[in-house]
Amino acid sequence: MKKLLTLFLALGFTFAFVACGNNASTEESAEETTTTEEVVEESTEEVEEAAEEIEEGAEEAAEEVEETVEEVDSVENAE
């Protein structure tokens, strides 16, 4: 009788641990996925901002080059 009771208790504890173990990992995975998505979104925003700054800088540099070319042309024409 004691062996049978021990066997049922052991099986009961085993099923309880297995059932509880799966729920915890699923919740942690969902939290990790959310955190990863937030990091990716923040990184994407930073990259987009950096690209816009580079584009603005390139436009300003192009304008300066055009002004310099016009100045050189006007000096050459004056000679």
Side-chain angles (χ1 to χ4, degrees):
M1 185 71 173
K2 288 182 183 180
K3 290 182 182 181
L4 188 60
L5 180 61
T6 305
L7 180 64
F8 285 131
L9 287 174
L11 287 173
F13 284 128
T14 304
F15 289 125
F17 286 127
V18 170
C20 291
N22 287 337
N23 290 338
S25 64
T26 303
E27 291 174 5
E28 290 176 7
S29 296
E31 290 176 10
E32 290 176 6
T33 302
T34 303
T35 305
T36 304
E37 289 174 356
E38 291 172 357
V39 169
V40 168
E41 288 176 6
E42 289 176 3
S43 298
T44 303
E45 291 174 1
E46 292 174 358
V47 168
E48 289 174 352
E49 290 174 3
E52 289 175 3
E53 290 177 6
I54 291 171
E55 185 178 351
E56 290 173 1
E59 289 174 359
E60 291 175 3
E63 290 174 4
E64 290 178 10
V65 168
E66 288 177 11
E67 291 174 1
T68 305
V69 169
E70 289 174 2
E71 288 177 10
V72 169
D73 285 343
S74 65
V75 169
E76 288 179 353
N77 290 337
E79 295 177 352

